[in-house]
Amino acid sequence: MKISFIINGMSKIIDVEDENTPLLYIIRDVLDLKGTKFGCGKAACGACTLHVNNEAVRSCSYPVKFAEGKEIITIEGLGNRAKPHPVQQAWIEEIVPQCGYCQPGFIMATAALLNKVPRPTDKDIDNNIINICRCGTYYRMRKAIHRAAELSAESSSTSFKITD
Amino acid sequence: MATNKNSNKGVSRRKFLVKGGLGTLGVLAVGTYIFRNPIRRGILGKVNSLEMPYTDNTDKPMIWFEITSDNFIRLHSPKMEMGQGTFTGIAQMAADELSIAMHRIKVVHAASSTGNVDSFATGGSTSISGLWQPLRELSAMLRTMLLKEASHKLNLDIDQLIVEDGTIIGKGKQLTFAQVADGVDEWVVPDSPVLKDIKDYKYVGKPVPRIDLEDKVFGDPIFGMDAQMPNMLYGAVVRSSKIGSVFVSADSTTAEKMPGVVKIIHEADFVAVVANSMIEAENAKNAIEVIWESYDNLNTKDIVEIMTVGNGSSTIIQKKGKALKEKDNSLTMEFRTPIGAHAQIEPNGVVAFVKDGKAIIKISTQVVGLTRKEVAQRLDLDVEQVIVEPTFLGGGFGRRLHTPHAVQAALMSKAVGRPVKYFFSRKEEFQHDMFRPPTHHVISGNLNEEGLLNVLEHEFVSGDVGNDSALIPGFLPPIIGADIGAIRGGFIQYTGIPNFRSVYWHVDLPFATSWWRSLGLLANTFAMESFMDEMAIRAQMNAVEFRLRQIADDPIGIRLKNVINAVTDKAKYSENIVEGRAMGLAASIDANTPCAQIAEVSIVNHEIVVHKVTVAMDPGLAVNPDQIRAQCEGCVIMGISAVLYEQMFVENGELAPTIYGPYKMALMKNAPKEIDVVLLQGKDTPGAVGEPPLGPIGAAIANAVRRLTGERLTQLPLKLPKYI
């Protein structure tokens, strides 16, 4: 069957035999976007986190059929070297990654959190950022999340010319 | 400039070969090798203090540097980047000695085809310390060669030339390294490298950002799991969920007819599926009926029973003075640590392509050389015909110090004549891990009139770490007599005590245990430093004073005292409970790097909460202080995960759990909000960084809990009794 969606701003029509195929496999193996990672296949680690209609979704356990007509953003579409997303910028400033494998999932989870809660407290971060990082970069991530919130606020206040 | 004092035993004895390469202007390749006998590492009593050298074992020229036409330098790293920051550290070292901006150095993993692979492994916290001398010498050598050639091309004396950011300048004329290298067929190789003074370095010693930062933040396809080849298929190997299973036979008639299946492969020791997609391979794999020969059902209690001091054979690894004869007036305590999983997020995976007597293996591995050898042996190829192309590792932690799944993927590829990608499911990762072994410790001591230890004895039993490892040649363990991994951290570091001994016991387990970041250090330090704290309490002495007074004044003892003093000052150590929080202190020496930590702990809703950890470490010269801090922070958090939450069980012959969540690990909410790191420099060369900070964390937390609650917790993961 055919499934259509928008991914990183581009319309795609995918032909799948099994509509229950996890979205992650389509993204990695069919669309060849390797930034979204496979970690556990059971939505337990968050390495495969991406956005579907601006919500964080663990794509290893998200049947592709549910993506029909929706808008997907992966790490490749969040920002790039020329125009990093505030979360990516904050991650660079705080030198967060070690091995780096889980980082796209955390960055996507953080970007989704900031969409909902622009100034998260430590408690908000503890309750919402529940991916697993084996290298133990949580300490720098927390700093980077607060920094990303600042950067987002700065960029939105610039674009809307809001002054205090 | 300072002349290198070691030049007579360093790089100058090696042959140099400089040749042009495809798309490159000059290649510095080095023949022969700096081999130092690995047996030396194993000399008992010194294992804790020795740092492992860089070893390479090929007699073929090895490519280290390539100069590209846009005046960049490609540095082929024999060490893998697995998060520890090695690529950044070696780029700093090379940039300084070459006099080129760091952004002009591109570090790549050396493939086995270039020969520049470490014969041993990426592990043991040795990458920066081991490459410190040879890499700087090679870089200085290349700079000197470029200067000589530039002098010839510009018709100026060498002392009229200076090097600035990859450009050689003199008398108003200049040439980039690339322009110097262009068209050169024969290079003049200097006799010995002349190294710069360390104080003249621009990058070494500075907290420069990781060079792989952007690749990792923008999601570039850099990992083994991201590797692919044209026309690639997917493989899956049937694995038994029971411990100790031996493959007997398989019926694959149903699986053969399933959608997407290309071929079922029957080998003597395994059966595998090759299919068009990963999911089709997995589905067909599950339809294969396999007969296994398995052990009788085992449970965790059986493992605990086996893993008890007094079982198996023993080796005294350290001894001074008299043994404790009378147990009167002495304290004896027992400690236990569980089976731990590596649980790295990137599953083990590989892409293999075998055709026309050649094999290409793309893999995240810590052992390029071993992987190459195993594929060559099983497929009956010359090692030169096996090209291992290592990728970035989505976590190493020791899990990739044996990667025999490369052999299985190679056999699958050979059978279908196409590239095959094969990776472990998460269940397979958990059940077929090579685990951190469980341990048991019996520690005894008695105090003299001054309240100091008169005798201290540590007896411990551990599953294998290095003994049964593919990485260690089989003849070594009998020579050494003790497992070089299991005994890490098992030595008495308070050598001011008049009588002490440490005894290692060996027993065999029915499942594989192996290298887990810091090896025996985590378990041994938890036990030893918990016991020391208990003795300090018995002696009614401050925990800092109790330790400092029993450390000998030898060089490593002085460095250990310094980190204990530094952490005490920084954390303002106090044995008072303030606002429900208590502090716990612990210290360890690993691979010649002393580290001390203080954990600030409270109990919230019956859970142990670690609010702050202060770390003082002396890794010697800090090539990149920021990345050393990152390793300390990471070790603290990985350590908290291991000592508060992680535990594998054996249930009816199966290792469990098989998924994150049930295998509980530290999340963001469990990480301390503050981690304060103090770095000391007690020696003038870089030392081990990536593992030593895992030592103290367990006891630091347990000691804080003891002071807070009066309870001495003696088992990992730490669990409060119900009444607290």
Side-chain angles (χ1 to χ4, degrees):
Chain A
M1 69 175 292
K2 289 199 188 331
I3 293 166
S4 57
F5 48 72
I6 297 169
I7 179 159
N8 299 334
M10 306 224 290
S11 294
K12 292 275 179 194
I13 301 169
I14 304 294
D15 205 352
V16 288
E17 274 179 35
D18 181 357
E19 60 182 18
N20 289 315
T21 302
L23 178 59
L24 176 66
Y25 290 83
I26 302 300
I27 285 175
R28 284 184 58 83
D29 295 341
V30 178
L31 299 175
D32 196 25
L33 293 167
K34 299 285 198 269
T36 310
K37 302 304 182 193
F38 175 93
C40 68
K42 306 254 180 189
C45 73
C48 62
T49 306
L50 44 68
H51 295 179
V52 177
N53 287 358
N54 284 323
E55 296 273 349
V57 161
R58 293 188 168 181
S59 62
C60 73
S61 303
Y62 187 87
V64 64
K65 66 184 175 188
F66 293 155
E68 172 62 41
K70 292 184 180 161
E71 195 174 338
I72 300 164
I73 298 173
T74 68
I75 187 78
E76 292 92 344
L78 188 72
N80 54 49
R81 284 165 167 83
K83 201 178 173 211
H85 185 275
V87 177
Q88 291 168 313
Q89 181 61 38
W91 245 247
I92 290 169
E93 288 180 18
E94 296 294 339
I95 317 181
V96 174
Q98 290 188 24
C99 91
Y101 193 80
C102 70
Q103 301 285 322
F106 273 98
I107 290 169
M108 297 309 287
T110 301
L113 171 65
L114 295 185
N115 285 342
K116 283 186 183 167
V117 187
R119 285 287 187 156
T121 61
D122 279 338
K123 196 92 195 148
D124 293 329
I125 293 169
D126 286 346
N127 291 340
N128 288 280
I129 305 301
I130 51 172
N131 293 6
I132 296 174
C133 170
R134 186 42 146 174
C135 300
T137 63
Y138 301 124
Y139 173 68
R140 289 191 184 196
M141 274 191 212
R142 184 186 300 279
K143 292 202 277 185
I145 295 167
H146 289 304
R147 178 68 186 137
E150 276 173 24
L151 288 169
S152 298
E154 282 167 20
S155 63
S156 56
S157 64
T158 314
S159 51
F160 296 110
K161 304 234 185 300
I162 295 169
T163 48
D164 286 342
Chain B
M1 285 200 180
T3 319
N4 168 35
K5 286 183 201 137
N6 296 322
S7 60
N8 61 333
K9 37 182 173 168
V11 96
S12 60
R13 286 209 313 211
R14 288 174 264 163
K15 286 181 288 184
F16 273 81
L17 182 83
V18 178
K19 58 179 186 180
L22 195 63
T24 62
L25 297 161
V27 179
L28 177 62
V30 185
T32 74
Y33 50 91
I34 341 156
F35 183 79
R36 299 175 206 183
N37 193 335
I39 293 174
R40 272 204 238 154
R41 275 185 292 103
I43 298 169
L44 286 184
K46 292 201 171 170
V47 170
N48 254 23
S49 61
L50 282 185
E51 293 161 76
M52 289 189 358
Y54 166 74
T55 56
D56 60 67
N57 71 344
T58 175
D59 52 4
K60 292 270 166 60
M62 303 177 296
I63 294 170
W64 282 87
F65 299 106
E66 294 171 88
I67 303 168
T68 56
S69 52
D70 48 1
N71 207 33
F72 278 75
I73 302 238
R74 198 177 294 141
L75 168 54
H76 293 246
S77 173
K79 296 290 185 177
M80 307 297 109
E81 177 56 65
M82 50 193 187
Q84 80 282 41
T86 291
F87 273 21
T88 308
I90 65 174
Q92 289 173 262
M93 284 147 55
D96 271 333
E97 276 300 339
L98 281 165
S99 299
I100 193 167
M102 245 184 97
H103 74 90
R104 292 198 170 272
I105 304 227
K106 300 289 175 202
V107 185
V108 295
H109 290 103
S112 65
S113 51
T114 63
N116 183 17
V117 297
D118 193 311
S119 70
F120 192 65
T122 303
S125 301
T126 58
S127 296
I128 295 294
S129 57
L131 285 172
W132 171 248
Q133 195 64 19
L135 179 63
R136 288 183 311 132
E137 288 180 4
L138 288 168
S139 304
M141 186 70 87
L142 179 57
R143 171 170 45 83
T144 311
M145 287 157 57
L146 286 160
L147 270 168
K148 281 198 178 164
E149 188 57 36
S151 133
H152 173 69
K153 279 192 170 167
L154 294 171
N155 204 16
L156 292 168
D157 289 341
I158 284 186
D159 48 21
Q160 294 176 295
L161 300 174
I162 55 160
V163 190
E164 261 179 30
D165 186 15
T167 298
I168 297 174
I169 305 163
K171 297 249 167 176
K173 295 188 275 190
Q174 63 178 57
L175 290 172
T176 64
F177 285 177
Q179 288 166 332
V180 174
D182 194 13
V184 180
D185 289 329
E186 279 192 27
W187 291 82
V188 181
V189 178
D191 290 336
S192 64
V194 181
L195 297 184
K196 295 182 181 177
D197 269 336
I198 289 173
K199 67 174 167 52
D200 293 332
Y201 286 156
K202 274 171 66 181
Y203 300 108
V204 167
K206 306 286 191 312
V208 297
R210 295 180 67 102
I211 59 173
D212 53 4
L213 199 46
E214 291 193 351
D215 301 352
K216 289 176 175 177
V217 166
F218 294 107
D220 291 0
I222 56 174
F223 298 100
M225 278 293 278
D226 305 331
Q228 52 193 355
M229 288 191 214
N231 211 19
M232 186 175 80
L233 297 168
Y234 293 82
V237 173
V238 188
R239 290 177 184 273
S240 171
S241 57
K242 292 276 183 193
I243 289 170
S245 295
V246 177
F247 175 77
V248 179
S249 64
D251 178 356
S252 57
T253 24
T254 313
E256 274 156 29
K257 296 174 199 127
M258 288 179 66
V261 171
V262 175
K263 192 164 188 174
I264 311 285
I265 290 137
H266 291 265
E267 287 284 331
D269 51 350
F270 72 96
V271 59
V273 181
V274 178
N276 289 320
S277 75
M278 188 65 211
I279 292 174
E280 287 163 330
E282 280 289 314
N283 289 342
K285 179 185 88 172
N286 294 334
I288 299 176
E289 286 172 35
V290 180
I291 296 170
W292 305 96
E293 243 170 42
S294 295
Y295 272 85
D296 290 341
N297 282 353
L298 280 167
N299 288 291
T300 301
K301 67 172 172 49
D302 303 311
I303 304 303
V304 169
E305 202 178 300
I306 299 168
M307 196 53 60
T308 294
V309 166
N311 287 344
S313 58
S314 70
T315 307
I316 296 172
I317 59 168
Q318 194 189 21
K319 193 173 155 187
K320 182 184 159 193
K322 287 178 274 189
L324 191 65
K325 281 202 181 122
E326 291 177 23
K327 303 274 171 178
D328 298 349
N329 297 322
S330 68
L331 177 68
T332 296
M333 295 182 75
E334 294 186 38
F335 298 87
R336 281 195 179 273
T337 73
I339 309 164
H342 286 87
Q344 83 293 344
I345 312 292
E346 183 197 17
N348 276 291
V350 52
V351 180
F353 187 27
V354 180
K355 211 177 177 187
D356 304 329
K358 277 192 178 169
I360 298 171
I361 309 288
K362 297 187 183 207
I363 186 167
S364 34
T365 183
Q366 293 173 253
V367 281
V368 175
L370 178 64
T371 302
R372 185 189 202 195
K373 192 176 86 184
E374 288 187 333
V375 170
Q377 277 174 353
R378 179 72 182 254
L379 275 76
D380 201 18
L381 299 170
D382 293 335
V383 282
E384 287 76 22
Q385 302 308 111
V386 179
I387 297 169
V388 178
E389 296 178 1
T391 64
F392 280 83
L393 276 61
F397 313 115
R399 176 63 187 92
R400 303 182 212 268
L401 284 166
H402 194 198
T403 44
H405 45 280
V407 174
Q408 292 172 320
L411 288 166
M412 287 189 257
S413 172
K414 191 182 176 188
V416 295
R418 287 168 65 178
V420 171
K421 179 169 187 164
Y422 162 49
F423 59 88
F424 283 43
S425 70
R426 186 49 57 182
K427 184 183 180 208
E428 289 167 337
E429 275 295 336
F430 273 108
Q431 292 198 318
H432 298 273
D433 195 353
M434 295 178 292
F435 299 93
R436 188 183 76 233
T439 64
H440 176 232
H441 311 254
V442 179
I443 309 180
S444 304
N446 65 9
L447 297 170
N448 63 20
E449 315 78 57
E450 278 181 86
L452 297 176
L453 282 156
N454 178 45
V455 181
L456 179 60
E457 294 183 359
H458 179 211
E459 296 203 40
F460 62 104
V461 58
S462 166
D464 288 339
V465 174
N467 267 0
D468 201 25
S469 164
L471 192 55
I472 302 286
F475 63 86
L476 267 182
I479 294 174
I480 298 167
D483 186 309
I484 62 163
I487 62 178
R488 286 267 283 260
F491 296 84
I492 311 288
Q493 63 194 10
Y494 300 96
T495 53
I497 297 169
N499 307 289
F500 57 81
R501 59 179 194 149
S502 184
V503 182
Y504 154 82
W505 290 82
H506 173 256
V507 296
D508 286 316
L509 284 172
F511 54 88
T513 56
S514 182
W515 320 93
W516 190 98
R517 190 182 192 178
S518 91
L519 318 181
L521 180 73
L522 181 95
N524 285 321
T525 310
F526 162 64
M528 293 292 291
E529 283 290 278
S530 294
F531 185 83
M532 280 300 285
D533 208 62
E534 200 56 39
M535 285 311 247
I537 290 169
R538 283 205 156 197
Q540 297 182 308
M541 203 182 291
N542 178 287
V544 178
E545 188 195 345
F546 185 72
R547 284 174 173 79
L548 291 178
R549 285 179 64 183
Q550 308 191 67
I551 297 169
D553 277 321
D554 51 21
I556 189 69
I558 290 164
R559 292 172 64 208
L560 179 60
K561 285 183 185 182
N562 288 342
V563 295
I564 291 174
N565 280 322
V567 81
T568 308
D569 292 346
K570 186 74 180 173
K572 299 187 170 65
Y573 178 75
S574 156
E575 296 185 347
N576 299 326
I577 296 167
V578 180
E579 291 168 4
R581 289 192 191 186
M583 291 187 181
L585 166 74
S588 59
I589 303 165
D590 185 44
N592 208 16
T593 294
C595 183
Q597 295 176 8
I598 289 172
E600 279 185 53
V601 170
S602 74
I603 310 292
V604 179
N605 298 328
H606 195 69
E607 297 276 328
I608 298 168
V609 177
V610 184
H611 298 275
K612 178 179 178 181
V613 177
T614 308
V615 180
M617 185 163 85
D618 172 8
L621 187 145
V623 171
N624 188 325
D626 178 69
Q627 281 308 301
I628 296 176
R629 283 169 202 281
Q631 288 299 296
C632 289
E633 294 158 10
C635 280
V636 162
I637 292 169
M638 187 174 179
I640 286 172
S641 190
V643 304
L644 291 186
Y645 309 113
E646 295 180 31
Q647 180 166 24
M648 289 297 292
F649 297 92
V650 179
E651 291 166 357
N652 301 317
E654 293 195 20
L655 280 148
T658 59
I659 187 70
Y660 299 116
Y663 187 78
K664 198 178 169 195
M665 291 167 70
L667 299 177
M668 178 74 82
K669 65 178 178 186
N670 308 114
K673 301 273 192 298
E674 280 185 84
I675 301 176
D676 214 349
V677 179
V678 186
L679 298 178
L680 307 186
Q681 187 183 327
K683 65 186 188 93
D684 57 7
T685 54
V689 166
E691 298 173 287
L694 262 170
I697 187 68
I701 297 170
N703 295 343
V705 171
R706 167 71 173 86
R707 283 158 199 281
L708 197 56
T709 67
E711 281 294 325
R712 171 57 62 190
L713 303 182
T714 58
Q715 288 195 28
L716 299 186
L718 299 173
K719 284 204 169 48
L720 295 170
K722 293 216 164 52
Y723 54 83
I724 291 176

